[in-house]
Every structure is written in C-alpha cells, then in structure tokens.
Amino acid sequence: MNVNFRTRGLAVMGCLFILSLLSSIVSAAAVPGEKAPDFSVIDAQGDKSSLTDFTGQWLVIEWFNKDCPYVKKHYGSGNMQSLQKKYTDQGVKWLTVISSAEGKQGYLAPDRALKVAKSHNLNASRPFLLDTGGDMGRAYGAKTTPHMFVINPQGTVVYAGAIDDNDSASPAVIASSHNYVSAALDASLKGEAISRASSRAYGCSVKY
Amino acid sequence: MGVAQTVAQESTSGEHVTVRWLAPASFTAQASEKLGFYFEVDPGWHVYWRNPGDSGAAPRFRIKPDGARVGPIEWPFPVRLKIEHLTNLGYAGNVAYLFDITPKQGTKVVSLTVELEWLVCKIECIPGFGTMTLSRPIADTAPWLPADLALRDYFAEKIPLPGVQSPWLPVSLSAQGEERIHLLLQMAGTAKPPEVFPLNGDLFTGAKPKLQREGGTLDYIFERLPGAALSETAGFVLSDGSRAWQLDRVAFGAAMPEAPQRPLWLLILAALAGGIILNLMPCVFPVLSIKLLGLVREGHSDSGRLREGLLYAAGVLTTFAVLGVLLLVLRAWGAAIGWGFQLQSAPVVMGLILLFWLMALSFSGVFEFGHRLVNLAGVSRGGTFATGVLAVFVAAPCTGPFMGVALGTAAILPAVEAILIFLGLGVGLAAPFVLLCASPVLLNRLPKPGPWMEKLRQFLAFPLYATVIWLLWVLGRMLGEGGWLIGALLLLAITFVLWLGYNFSRFGRICAWVLLLIFLVTGYLALNRGNGEASGDIVSWQEYDRLLLEQALEVGRPVFIDYTAAWCITCQVNKKLVLDTSEVQQLFQMNKVLLLRADWTRQDPEITESLAALGRNSVPVYAWYPAGSKEPQLLPQILQESMITDLFNGNKN
C-alpha cells in the first residue's frame, strides 16, 4: 500500500481526463445572423488587424491562395479586384486572408506577400492578412479559397459562402454567374434584406 | 489540360486524368443504350460526385447530340473522402459517369460532341477541360468490347435505384436548432445501416452524419451549413456499399423540439430536478453513501455535520461554477460544444471506464481505493469539499438522460442564464446530502454503522461494474469492434498493474509504474488510431461478391481476396500488421488491385463454396489473382509485408 502510487495514479488519470476535454473542442464557424468571431492577425506590412478595428463599418473577408485554380479564376479575370474596388470605393472594408501554413500550398512570407499583392492588383483595405497559424481561418470555419464573409457594422455576419453560384473553374462563366457577395452588399447598403445569407463555398481546401 | 488528338477525339486527358468513352461499335435503331465517360484517375487523386461535399466540383458535361436523344448524367454512388479538415464526396479511383442515349427514327449515324470540365484533386486541385466526340452507325446489333461492357455494367450497378425499392424508408426529416438536421430511416430486416449522402451541398456539409440507432429506426444527424436556409424537401442517396437508392424529395417536417423556447425558470427547475435525481445514479450514490456513513461513524456533532454538508455543497457548486465558466470560455473561443461532449471523445470514455473499474475493484475489496478517493484532500474538512468536487465529475456519465436538455440549453444561452442552470444542477445535486447532514431526525433514521456497511459497499460495486460494461459498449459504438477490445485489454492490464503494485516490494511497484505508463500511452494511441478508422477514411476493401470478382478478372484487373473471420486471431493479426498498413494499402492502390474481403464470421454458403474451390475449409486464406490471370495463387497463412511487396516486384512490367 503506497499512498504515492495512488495519488499519482489519480493525477495521471486527471490529466488524461482534462487533456481529452481540451482535445475534444470542436472548432466553430462564422454563422450568418450571429456575431462574427474576433481575430487578430498581422498583415504583410506587419500591422495588426482585428475585428474591433472595423466596428461601425461594413466588412468583407475573403480567403486567398494564389495557386488555387478558383482563386486564379476570379483574380485572373479581374473579377475579384473589381469587386474590391467597387465596394471599397463605397466605404466597405475588405480583408484578404491567407491561412496557408508554412510549407503548404499558398503560403507567403511577408515580403513575398507584398509582391503578390502588387502583381495581383489587390484592391483590399490591407495588404494580405497572414494567418499562418490558421487561427482566424478556423474561427471563421473558412473551408475553401475563395470563401467569402460579409459582416455588418454591428459585427454580425450577414453572408457566408461562395462568391457566386457557379463552381466551374473556367473564368468564362463569371459573366453569367450570380454574384452572392455583391448581391448581399448591394441589398445591405440599400438597407434591404439579403435574399441569400449562405451557400456552399466552392473552391480548393484551405491549406491549414 | 491538353486535349489528346489520338483516336479521333474519342478520349481526352488532363493532368492525372484520362477520359474515354464506354460505348458500343454501333447502335441499334431506336433502342436505348447506356454509355459512359470513363475517368481513369491516378492513384491518390479523386474526382467528384454530383454534390462534391465541402470543396471541389462535380464534373460538367455539355452534350450536343446529333440524331439521338440523350438522358441526364447518372452518378454512381460516392464515398466520403476525408481530405484534411474537409470531407468530399467522390470516387477514390476510376469511375464512369453514365447516361442513356436513344437514336432517333430514321437516323443513319449518331454523333455526339461533348465539352467536358472536371476537377481532379489530391490535396491540391487541378481543373481539366476537354472535348470528346463520338460517331457510331446504326446497325442490327450493338457490339461492345467485353471489357468496356463489364466496366459499364459495373458502374451501372452503382447508379441509385428508385427510393421505393430501398430497404430503408424515410420516417421524418427535421431541423434541430440551427446546426443539425435529423433524417430518420426505418430499417426493414436486419440489414446494416446504409451510408447516406445528401444531394444538396448548399444545406448539408460533407461531414459523415452521426448515426444513432434505436431498434429499427436509424437517426442520421447531419451538420447544416452555417446559416443555410431550409428548403422544403431534401434528397438523399443511400448505399449499402454495393447498391444504392435515391430518396428524391423527403419533405421537412416540424422542427425537432429545441430548448431555447422554454422559459428559464422551467429550465432551472429541470436542472434542480436533474441534480437531485443524479444522487440516485450509480455514478454518484456509492460515493455519497460512503461519505455519509463516514460522517456518522466519525461521530460529528450536529453543527459539525451541518458544516460538512455545507462544505460538500460548496465543493459541488464551485465545480459546477468552474465548469460553467469553462463552457463559456470555450464558447467564447467559438467552440460549439455541449455537455456530454466528453462522451464523444474516446479517450475520455476510456478514462471514465478506468476510473469506474478502479472504484468497483476497490468496492469489491480487491484493494483500498474508494475511501481515499473521496478523502482525496486527506483531512476531513477538505475531504468533504473534495467529495463535492468529485461527485460532479463522477456524475458526468449519468448526466445524459436527465440533464441533457438543461445543459444543452446552457450551451447556447446568454452567460448569466447558462451559469444559473449550472448552479441549479449543483444545488440539486448537493441538496439531499445537505438535508441529511442538517436534519438529525433524518440522519437518525439512517441505519447504524456495522458490518452491513461492508456488504453494502461490496454490493455497490455491481452498479459500477454495470457502468463499466455500458461505457465499454459506448466505446464499441464509437470505434467499432476494436473499441471494446482495446478497452477490455486496458482494464486487464491495469488490474495486473494493481496486483503487481500492491503485492510486491519496491521493485514490483517500479515495474507497475512503468507498465502503467506504457499501457496508458499505448491505450491512448490505439484509441486515437481507432478514431481515425471510424471517421470514414478511404475504404479500400469491398465485401466479397462473386460478380465483382468475375468482372475484375474479365477486364484483367488484379484481385486480392482476404478470407477472414472475426474469431480468427491469425486473420486479425495479419490484417493489423500487414494488410491494412498504409504501405501495403498504397501498394495495392498504386497497382489498382481490387481488394475483396470475404468475411466468414458467420456461415456464408457463397464464401464456403469459394473456399472449397480453392481447396480450403478454414481461414485465413489469401488469394491473389495477378493482372490478367484467372488462376489464383494462395499466400501463406502468416503474412509478411515482404510477401505482398514481392507480388508486385515480380509482376511489374
């Protein structure tokens, strides 16, 4: 009979229990109608952005991976940049996030990210947000590139999902596609209800 | 992305994909024929079903027919492909997308021009584009290459049949809260529950639904895409692994009862009642009785006992408050969890099994443990507080049926209300003990201490053993057969460690410690491995089916048959150490081997017959049909990885 044997046994089991509790945490997502998850991410210039910086403003968050064919579809055609320009001109803020982990497809070191931002004519409000650890992506439940979120001035998610209704990789379909993001923003900015708050985000998986 | 110019554009290809026709050399007048686009995909890459799941895209076919009518694309049922954090619906190997074609009256030649677009993915994705043409005369017969016909038929078998023929009938479809959708199916006979694939990727995520089974009713719980609006109906494809059926328009019924609409006071009342009832649960009751008897035996004064009671209550309430705050913190981090979530994690269930096993052994008198457990903090004052803390933790496995509603609600209520519910549970749990401590009348009614207490303690071990059995069953449900086996083995190991630790001197105790550590770590690893398997990775083995075998042999595809049975230890060892290792699986996949598993656990005349044809009447038997050969080679009963490797080294061309 050894008291140590018992107490330490219990301690081991207790640790096991608590560890398992923590490991069973399921990641959630940004859900239309609910508060947007907070984030705190450094951009390619080294400045920090968080959700509270955009309180009182409309905000679009977009997930990006320069090597993804679907991102190429919307950037190669200039579709994404013109959306960025159209809405940032109307005072909407726009964040383009890279959640690719180091060593995975789409990862960009800060200096490289600045160059890619330039070569892609990025019209976002900040140079790429570099979410290398994937915390922001997971908090939002970002599944694909592109995955789009629209957040209202009160910090509530009003749209989450695909950029439009056509999951072809061909840029030729853009003209005939229905763009969910601009539909959501146009309706919101006019104070009207959004007809569609959610869709399946098509594209490549985010490379966490 | 280049378009192959060979064979008059009857095929096209892109990176990792070649597409060609499955079609006869001619058509017969006005007779409909089923054709296919055969996608040959590099090993490790996949293409998609009509609903591709969390990412990816279904292939597109723009068919321009001349001299014929063509039907819609028919999609063979998919598998779930777990790709990192996402689940896709698609095909892990080659696949044929089919459609019907009917030549128009008076047509001499039927021709088709098809623009294709597809996406092929491993982890990265590569889109492909191409154009294919087909031109066939009308003749008296429609002759097929046997290999192409076999392929066409093989995939035609996988096209879902009408839902009315399905062995499972939809009972109801309903949303529960904002996150879940329940599909209830009624099962006819004793068939295994089917895999269910939703047709609508705008409403359902690709994740494998959780399955709860109650008698003949199967409850599939799907994740709903965040914020997705409900449609009026939803369609599903059910598959038993070899055939499939399509439920076209299952109507959404009334929403499942959801907690938030219930008034707060009712919830707190439910929490209180739930807490009180918890006292009677086998998880809590033994601990409390022993503590209470301890108090009586130690001869406390009335006020002393009251103080003990209040200390216990403080322990309970503090723990509930801490758990409540923990829940809120987790929730604030964006975690969607509910109470009972611990029971969804295999290591936690295993931890509880160990805890109850040790308590039960202790109650049975195998070793002294229970008393000390409740006296964790040593002295009686801290001890009673610790009992309170412990009571909450040991109550966890018994919470489900009684407190589920209250706690489920707490997970989504505003902070203050959530904490109130937690405290309500605590008050309920603590109340009976405090009452007994406070009222000498009640306490005096308790029987006097005596030898019966020992018997009672021993008796109370039995509910604990029952709890252990129940939790082992839960583990089995989570991980499949391996689950309870790992669990039971770990219990055996721990019992051995106890024996070693309590019956030998210093050296024995050191051994016990080392062994304990090894067992816990291997147990934990085994559980996690089991977890992965259960969560639906790529299934490489198919159930033995003579037709499947014949078709594969017909087209010259290599086949490996594993004749096995659950009761055959050698089979299990071979499976774990050789057949199901990732190296061997990769090798099989690279060589496009059809893997068939003939499970002889129960008597099966077809398998018995097939074994007899090989001149065997026992398992294991490993039959290998090299590519192009119709004669099997038999492998030794004890497999080594090198034997499998040799199969391909000798055969590589």
Side-chain angles (χ1 to χ4, degrees):
Chain A
M1 292 287 226
N2 181 318
V3 177
N4 266 348
F5 184 79
R6 277 191 306 269
T7 4
R8 275 192 259 160
L10 274 175
V12 168
M13 272 188 323
C15 286
L16 197 77
F17 186 82
I18 290 177
L19 270 179
S20 320
L21 277 188
L22 290 176
S23 72
S24 61
I25 297 170
V26 192
S27 68
V31 180
E34 292 182 12
K35 283 271 173 236
D38 202 2
F39 57 86
S40 177
V41 177
I42 306 281
D43 66 32
Q45 274 174 339
D47 299 327
K48 191 190 274 180
S49 287
S50 55
L51 183 63
T52 43
D53 298 345
F54 301 96
T55 310
Q57 294 171 301
W58 284 91
L59 176 64
V60 176
I61 305 183
E62 169 214 343
W63 260 264
F64 178 93
N65 167 356
K66 73 175 171 52
D67 297 319
C68 166
Y70 293 91
V71 172
K72 288 180 183 165
K73 167 188 171 185
H74 290 289
Y75 273 89
S77 61
N79 182 39
M80 192 70 87
Q81 297 93 323
S82 64
L83 279 180
Q84 289 164 350
K85 171 123 183 51
K86 177 176 173 194
Y87 291 103
T88 50
D89 282 354
Q90 297 180 50
V92 175
K93 297 295 170 182
W94 191 297
L95 297 176
T96 304
V97 186
I98 301 176
S99 285
S100 297
E102 200 165 345
K104 297 273 183 91
Q105 189 200 57
Y107 167 79
L108 295 175
D111 52 336
R112 190 92 174 81
L114 283 176
K115 285 184 192 134
V116 172
K118 193 158 188 183
S119 68
H120 278 63
N121 298 318
L122 190 72
N123 282 327
S125 310
R126 302 271 187 279
F128 292 117
L129 261 51
L130 303 179
D131 176 37
T132 314
D135 291 342
M136 180 181 180
R138 290 197 182 90
Y140 275 75
K143 287 182 171 172
T144 62
T145 49
H147 196 160
M148 314 290 298
F149 297 88
V150 179
I151 296 165
N152 74 12
Q154 290 76 46
T156 303
V157 180
V158 296
Y159 175 78
I163 180 170
D164 60 29
D165 66 349
N166 195 325
D167 70 359
S168 168
S170 162
V173 302
I174 291 175
S176 60
S177 307
H178 173 67
N179 193 300
Y180 293 136
V181 175
S182 55
L185 282 170
D186 289 344
S188 299
L189 294 175
K190 274 189 247 156
E192 292 167 6
I194 290 171
S195 61
R196 183 160 182 151
S198 154
S199 66
R200 183 185 83 95
Y202 69 82
C204 318
S205 61
V206 177
K207 308 293 189 286
Y208 291 112
Chain B
M1 264 185 245
V3 176
Q5 295 300 321
T6 52
V7 209
Q9 293 211 326
E10 287 218 350
S11 72
T12 180
S13 64
E15 287 182 61
H16 307 292
V17 177
T18 312
V19 191
R20 66 176 178 88
W21 287 108
L22 297 179
S26 56
F27 295 120
T28 46
Q30 292 181 59
S32 120
E33 186 73 70
K34 200 180 284 298
L35 307 191
F37 297 98
Y38 187 48
F39 278 62
E40 288 177 285
V41 184
D42 283 355
W45 292 78
H46 59 270
V47 289
Y48 293 93
W49 189 50
R50 53 190 296 187
N51 166 16
D54 289 337
S55 65
R60 293 156 179 248
F61 308 90
R62 198 171 311 133
I63 307 177
K64 284 187 209 121
D66 190 6
R69 284 192 310 274
V70 294
I73 293 290
E74 298 174 0
W75 310 79
F77 71 83
V79 293
R80 284 197 165 80
L81 301 157
K82 206 146 166 38
I83 313 292
E84 300 198 320
H85 57 294
L86 302 181
T87 306
N88 285 147
L89 306 179
Y91 311 96
N94 299 349
V95 66
Y97 303 95
L98 308 177
F99 64 97
D100 282 329
I101 181 165
T102 316
K104 285 183 184 159
Q105 200 168 7
T107 305
K108 294 274 185 300
V109 174
V110 168
S111 54
L112 300 178
T113 307
V114 188
E115 284 170 44
L116 290 91
E117 179 186 342
W118 64 84
L119 186 71
V120 63
C121 299
K122 193 172 197 175
I123 290 171
E124 301 79 36
C125 291
I126 304 174
F129 303 90
T131 307
M132 278 165 70
T133 55
L134 182 84
S135 183
R136 294 285 188 271
I138 301 294
D140 295 337
T141 56
W144 279 82
L145 288 177
D148 280 4
L149 188 61
L151 275 173
R152 198 272 319 253
D153 289 344
Y154 173 73
F155 287 105
E157 283 259 303
K158 292 177 168 263
I159 303 295
L161 299 164
V164 286
Q165 297 173 25
S166 155
W168 302 276
L169 295 174
V171 177
S172 74
L173 178 65
S174 49
Q176 185 190 33
E178 293 292 318
E179 286 161 19
R180 279 174 286 280
I181 295 174
H182 289 251
L183 170 69
L184 262 59
L185 297 180
Q186 184 65 41
M187 183 163 54
T190 54
K192 270 191 284 185
E195 279 277 293
V196 181
F197 306 99
L199 293 176
N200 182 354
D202 276 339
L203 180 54
F204 299 88
T205 70
K208 190 182 172 81
K210 288 209 173 82
L211 172 59
Q212 286 178 351
R213 190 172 175 168
E214 220 181 283
T217 306
L218 303 169
D219 182 3
Y220 289 85
I221 308 162
F222 291 90
E223 275 177 30
R224 179 165 160 187
L225 209 67
L230 281 185
S231 41
E232 281 184 9
T233 62
F236 301 89
V237 164
L238 320 178
S239 156
D240 64 1
S242 55
R243 303 293 290 270
W245 297 266
Q246 183 163 328
L247 305 177
D248 263 322
R249 277 185 291 278
V250 185
F252 271 96
M256 283 247 186
E258 207 202 336
Q261 286 110 23
R262 300 172 198 210
L264 183 65
W265 64 268
L266 203 63
L267 284 169
I268 294 177
L269 211 65
L272 263 173
I276 293 172
I277 293 170
L278 265 185
N279 284 283
L280 299 175
M281 290 291 99
C283 318
V284 186
F285 190 61
V287 181
L288 288 192
S289 333
I290 285 163
K291 186 67 200 171
L292 211 51
L293 291 173
L295 288 183
V296 176
R297 192 162 42 188
E298 283 160 27
H300 286 279
S301 63
D302 287 357
S303 65
R305 268 201 309 274
L306 183 59
R307 200 177 54 210
E308 293 292 313
L310 292 177
L311 268 174
Y312 168 79
V316 170
L317 289 176
T318 310
T319 316
F320 265 111
V322 169
L323 281 178
V325 171
L326 183 71
L327 178 90
L328 290 179
V329 169
L330 292 179
R331 200 174 68 178
W333 281 351
I337 48 168
W339 190 260
F341 60 92
Q342 343 75 318
L343 285 186
Q344 290 167 6
S345 153
V348 173
V349 174
M350 192 62 238
L352 288 170
I353 290 176
L354 283 180
L355 182 67
F356 289 119
W357 179 248
L358 291 175
M359 283 178 72
L361 288 181
S362 154
F363 280 17
S364 295
V366 174
F367 74 108
E368 298 280 317
F369 184 75
H371 306 53
R372 324 262 165 175
L373 192 67
V374 291
N375 283 329
L376 198 58
V379 289
S380 68
R381 188 167 299 178
T384 316
F385 185 86
T387 309
V389 175
L390 190 71
V392 179
F393 276 98
V394 300
C398 295
T399 52
F402 296 97
M403 321 196 313
V405 175
L407 280 168
T409 315
I412 42 178
L413 279 180
V416 177
E417 298 175 18
I419 292 285
L420 278 178
I421 286 183
F422 269 86
L423 291 180
L425 280 165
V427 170
L429 180 58
F433 192 88
V434 176
L435 204 65
L436 278 172
C437 286
S439 155
V441 182
L442 279 178
L443 201 57
N444 285 340
R445 292 224 165 168
L446 283 182
K448 291 273 175 288
W452 65 268
M453 283 195 332
E454 189 62 23
K455 290 206 178 63
L456 176 68
R457 195 188 64 164
Q458 287 168 6
F459 170 75
L460 288 174
F462 292 98
L464 286 175
Y465 288 122
T467 310
V468 168
I469 293 174
W470 170 63
L471 286 173
L472 277 172
W473 176 78
V474 170
L475 202 61
R477 288 293 299 262
M478 289 166 92
L479 303 182
E481 286 171 5
W484 67 262
L485 194 63
I486 295 170
L489 284 176
L490 202 53
L491 292 189
L492 177 68
I494 295 296
T495 316
F496 176 70
V497 164
L498 280 173
W499 176 77
L500 210 59
Y502 279 100
N503 288 291
F504 292 88
S505 58
R506 189 173 181 76
F507 178 68
R509 280 203 296 274
I510 294 172
C511 283
W513 264 109
V514 172
L515 282 177
L516 179 71
L517 212 66
I518 293 174
F519 289 143
L520 285 181
V521 170
T522 36
Y524 185 80
L525 291 178
L527 285 177
N528 276 349
R529 171 113 57 96
N531 243 346
E533 279 166 16
S535 65
D537 283 323
I538 297 165
V539 185
S540 55
W541 292 94
Q542 299 192 22
E543 231 173 278
Y544 176 81
D545 182 341
R546 202 162 46 83
L547 279 174
L548 221 59
L549 171 66
E550 282 168 7
Q551 275 163 14
L553 296 183
E554 202 59 48
V555 298
R557 186 176 173 194
V559 179
F560 188 97
I561 311 181
D562 170 20
Y563 292 90
T564 180
W567 36 259
C568 158
I569 305 285
T570 322
C571 304
Q572 303 309 322
V573 173
N574 284 335
K575 191 156 92 177
K576 279 273 173 262
L577 296 186
V578 181
L579 292 179
D580 284 357
T581 59
S582 55
E583 293 80 21
V584 168
Q585 281 295 317
Q586 222 170 358
L587 205 59
F588 279 141
Q589 211 182 22
M590 259 162 49
N591 290 282
K592 303 193 175 174
V593 178
L594 172 65
L595 298 177
L596 294 177
R597 188 158 266 161
D599 190 341
W600 212 38
T601 304
R602 289 192 197 90
Q603 173 69 358
D604 182 329
E606 193 173 315
I607 294 174
T608 312
E609 195 181 300
S610 140
L611 274 170
L614 297 171
R616 296 295 183 91
N617 58 6
S618 67
V619 287
V621 171
Y622 300 102
W624 163 242
Y625 295 81
S629 159
K630 293 195 177 181
E631 286 307 312
Q633 302 165 8
L634 296 187
L635 271 61
Q637 292 212 332
I638 295 176
L639 285 180
Q640 280 166 358
E641 203 179 309
S642 61
M643 297 176 186
I644 307 288
T645 328
D646 290 345
L647 296 180
F648 301 104
N649 290 338
N651 274 331
K652 268 217 172 103
N653 37 25

